[in-house]
Amino acid sequence: MRRFIVLFISIAVVSGISACSTGTEPTRTYLDDIEQDNSTVSDLMAENCASHDEPEDYTWDAGSVVNITLNGSSISVDGPGVTVDGSKATITASGNYSASGALTDGQITIDTDDDGIVRLILNNADITCSTSAPINIAGAEKTIIILPEDTGSHLADGDTYIFDDPEDDEPNAALFSKDDLSFYGSGSLTIDANYNDGITSKDGLVINSGIITVDALDDGIRGKDYLVVKDGSIIITSGGDALKSDDDDEDKGYILIEHGVIDLTSSDDGIDAESDLLVSGGTITILAGGGSDAVIGEDDSAKGIKGNAYVVIDDCIISVDSADDAIHSNTDMIINGGDFTLASGDDAIHADNTLSINDGNISITRSFEGIEGYFIVFYGGNISVISSDDCVNSTAGARAELDNGCCTYIYGGYIVLNASVGDGIDSNGNIVMKGGTVIIHGPSNDPEVMFDYDGTFDISGGLIVGSGSSSHMTQAPSPVSTQNSVMMTFTLANSASTIFHIDDSDGNEIATFEPLHRYQSIGFSSPDLETGKTYRVYLGGVSTGLNNDGLITGGSYSGGSLSTTFTISEVVTPIEK
């Protein structure tokens, strides 16, 4: 399993999932080029332990079902495998059992010694236990909770548990299991967890289907070895993390979401995986820590989605409003697709090492810093970022402006950056651009700029246009570039929405740009800027073209004032007007 730190030494080890190290500080080496990492959820799952889920788990002989009838303060049973002591029923053998009725203060315990499956069918069961878990799976090879169609069951515990043996591994959740646990069916289960967690498995936990609603004092649903959501509807309100896996063994502690509709409201993290966090589908909505306008303590964690190792997202619909990072990895992150709406009080998307965006529709509506990582790699996607500081920030974590080998790579994608206060792109190292479209509505005031780098900014392809201040820190792309660029600085600031228009001496449009903020500088690079050709710059006026995020294409431009003319004679042409 690829965990915690990846060593980037040469181009050959950047791609794929073979380059790994555990528990060491990263040795990162800037590369002129970096191969695309197309690793998917299935690739990462090959590095994690397999779940206990089997297709045959969900078929059984209806004629073999033993009925457990709950009668307020008493229990009756119509078959073998169950012992009853007052309001407590104990299932002692594998088999199929159906619980119906209500217990006002009682418990169903599962404690078997054989290797078979226990299927517990909750058939409109309502169980309250004031001193322990209403369902306590003390021992079983595997337990499957069945939620039949058109049924609704309910579990509730008290705020204090009484333990028979405090030294033993006692229940800490309203539905507690020491062993592998699964859920199946189209019915519903509602859990009020007043003591600690809602659902906990000390081994693996698989939610195959079902409608599960949890209101928990601490964590909502926790699978220690792993938590797998194959489908279903999950609604959680939690005082801790909503979904969690916390085993620190090398191939465990992962969370996998394949499908389903998941709605999480958490005081701490929405989804917290000790190792890999993998999403291949589903619709996920998260409110963490009170949302992006909330204030949390310095040592608190209220992230939307967090993986302490890899975060890989293949496809999904994700909406996060979090006080802390919206999506976070302590190592690497790969986004292969999906639709994202993210609001964060800190970073919207953060990876300590490499953050690769291969595809997807990403809308960051609020953030301190929008996209942050040591290496940030854009290969595709439709990305929009609003931030109060830097929109894209390649950093090792230090706030100082220095070259520490970081890099932002842009190979493709459509990227719109709205930085009213911070930088559009800030790299404590290099920027490499070989393709794609980047539109930067940069800051109006010093010292922040449209792009800020401490190494080089090498452009060999793509289109970038940005507005910004006239700070002494304003930078143009580097002369090492092979694609021509223009950096124009104005003596006086231009008001927001004042069109900046370039055409060539024959009147052919090169660029028409309408900045969102007041600006005193414009940076522009495009394959259309040819060495030896003369161009004209106009300010103001109107265009009948299509305005896509400030970049206007097609139609006709008129009414502007000629600001200057210039001839491309070198890779970077500075213009002061």
Side-chain angles (χ1 to χ4, degrees):
M1 174 182 178
R2 299 188 301 174
R3 299 191 60 206
F4 303 111
I5 297 299
V6 173
L7 305 182
F8 290 100
I9 300 173
S10 67
I11 292 178
V13 301
V14 172
S15 179
I17 63 171
S18 60
C20 63
S21 176
T22 302
T24 60
E25 285 299 315
T27 300
R28 305 178 179 98
T29 301
Y30 163 70
L31 307 170
D32 291 332
D33 204 357
I34 187 168
E35 290 186 15
Q36 183 174 9
D37 191 339
N38 290 308
S39 299
T40 64
V41 166
S42 61
D43 295 328
L44 267 293
M45 274 306 300
E47 302 291 322
N48 289 283
C49 68
S51 79
H52 62 265
D53 194 55
E54 299 289 346
E56 56 267 25
D57 291 348
Y58 307 108
T59 58
W60 64 94
D61 178 9
S64 68
V65 174
V66 175
N67 293 301
I68 303 172
T69 304
L70 313 176
N71 303 301
S73 58
S74 64
I75 301 171
S76 60
V77 179
D78 71 355
V82 185
T83 63
V84 176
D85 182 7
S87 61
K88 178 179 178 179
T90 301
I91 296 171
T92 59
S94 60
N96 307 309
Y97 303 87
S98 175
S100 61
L103 281 179
T104 54
D105 192 0
Q107 183 182 62
I108 293 178
T109 295
I110 298 172
D111 194 358
T112 67
D113 293 326
D114 57 49
D115 294 332
I117 295 174
V118 175
R119 296 181 183 87
L120 178 58
I121 304 166
L122 297 181
N123 192 357
N124 292 313
D126 189 348
I127 307 173
T128 296
C129 187
S130 63
T131 57
S132 187
I135 295 179
N136 176 23
I137 304 168
E141 181 69 17
K142 183 192 299 185
T143 299
I144 302 172
I145 303 296
I146 308 295
L147 306 174
E149 184 178 5
D150 297 327
T151 66
S153 294
H154 174 250
L155 306 177
D157 62 6
D159 59 8
T160 302
Y161 279 18
I162 297 175
F163 301 124
D164 294 333
D165 182 1
E167 300 299 323
D168 195 7
D169 192 7
E170 296 284 356
N172 65 350
L175 200 167
F176 176 82
S177 177
K178 284 188 177 180
D179 301 302
D180 290 334
L181 176 66
S182 300
F183 289 83
Y184 175 77
S186 60
S188 67
L189 173 63
T190 300
I191 297 177
D192 294 314
N194 301 296
Y195 174 69
N196 196 49
D197 297 347
I199 300 171
T200 286
S201 169
K202 302 293 284 186
D203 281 347
L205 176 56
V206 175
I207 298 174
N208 196 292
S209 54
I211 303 168
I212 300 174
T213 302
V214 175
D215 190 342
L217 180 70
D218 193 17
D219 300 332
I221 299 178
R222 182 164 68 97
K224 183 176 177 61
D225 288 0
Y226 49 80
L227 172 57
V228 176
V229 179
K230 290 180 171 270
D231 209 337
S233 175
I234 300 172
I235 302 170
I236 296 176
T237 301
S238 65
D241 302 329
L243 298 179
K244 185 169 187 166
S245 182
D246 55 2
D247 195 301
D248 58 4
D249 282 358
E250 184 175 353
D251 60 349
K252 297 178 181 178
Y254 70 89
I255 294 177
L256 169 64
I257 299 173
E258 295 182 343
H259 296 288
V261 177
I262 300 171
D263 191 341
L264 310 176
T265 301
S266 62
S267 295
D268 294 337
D269 300 323
I271 305 176
D272 181 6
E274 180 65 25
S275 61
D276 295 337
L277 199 156
L278 311 173
V279 181
S280 60
T283 299
I284 303 171
T285 303
I286 300 174
L287 175 65
S292 56
D293 58 351
V295 178
I296 60 173
E298 183 178 350
D299 297 329
D300 294 335
S301 180
K303 297 175 174 63
I305 294 173
K306 180 175 77 174
N308 287 308
Y310 275 71
V311 173
V312 178
I313 301 174
D314 286 349
D315 191 19
C316 58
I317 299 173
I318 292 179
S319 177
V320 176
D321 187 1
S322 59
D324 204 343
D325 296 350
I327 305 177
H328 176 98
S329 169
N330 283 354
T331 60
D332 293 356
M333 184 186 307
I334 303 169
I335 297 176
N336 292 314
D339 294 318
F340 303 79
T341 303
L342 309 176
S344 169
D346 198 358
D347 303 338
I349 304 176
H350 174 101
D352 284 357
N353 259 1
T354 300
L355 197 168
S356 299
I357 299 177
N358 295 325
D359 204 351
N361 299 308
I362 301 172
S363 175
I364 298 172
T365 61
R366 179 176 181 174
S367 64
F368 177 67
E369 292 188 316
I371 298 173
E372 183 174 83
Y374 194 96
F375 290 152
I376 299 173
V377 190
F378 296 99
Y379 274 99
N382 189 339
I383 301 158
S384 173
V385 180
I386 297 174
S387 70
S388 59
D389 197 16
D390 303 333
C391 287
V392 176
N393 186 31
S394 293
T395 178
R399 302 300 298 176
E401 292 292 333
L402 51 87
D403 185 351
N404 52 29
C406 300
C407 190
T408 295
Y409 297 89
I410 305 169
Y411 296 102
Y414 180 84
I415 304 164
V416 181
L417 309 176
N418 185 344
S420 58
V421 177
D423 302 325
I425 301 175
D426 185 352
S427 176
N428 294 147
N430 303 294
I431 303 173
V432 173
M433 183 170 180
K434 296 192 172 187
T437 297
V438 179
I439 301 168
I440 302 175
H441 297 281
S444 300
N445 299 315
D446 301 348
E448 310 304 331
V449 292
M450 65 187 85
F451 35 76
D452 178 11
Y453 57 92
D454 297 296
T456 61
F457 184 179
D458 183 351
I459 297 182
S460 59
L463 182 152
I464 184 169
V465 59
S467 61
S469 67
S470 63
S471 168
H472 66 282
M473 294 181 63
T474 297
Q475 295 175 287
S478 301
V480 298
S481 300
T482 56
Q483 178 170 289
N484 293 325
S485 301
V486 173
M487 176 57 69
M488 187 165 184
T489 305
F490 303 93
T491 302
L492 299 176
N494 299 291
S495 61
S497 301
T498 299
I499 287 178
F500 174 88
H501 175 83
I502 299 178
D503 64 15
D504 63 18
S505 54
D506 297 322
N508 298 310
E509 179 184 68
I510 304 301
T512 303
F513 179 47
E514 184 178 353
L516 290 175
H517 311 301
R518 181 174 59 87
Y519 65 95
Q520 206 164 344
S521 62
I522 291 286
F524 176 67
S525 181
S526 164
D528 293 336
L529 289 176
E530 299 179 26
T531 302
K533 291 195 68 172
T534 299
Y535 299 90
R536 300 175 297 193
V537 175
Y538 294 85
L539 294 176
V542 295
S543 175
T544 62
L546 181 63
N547 189 327
N548 289 308
D549 305 299
L551 185 62
I552 303 173
T553 57
S556 60
Y557 171 79
S558 63
S561 299
L562 180 65
S563 176
T564 191
T565 62
F566 64 92
T567 301
I568 299 290
S569 59
E570 51 189 338
V571 172
V572 180
T573 301
I575 304 169
E576 294 185 2
K577 179 63 178 179

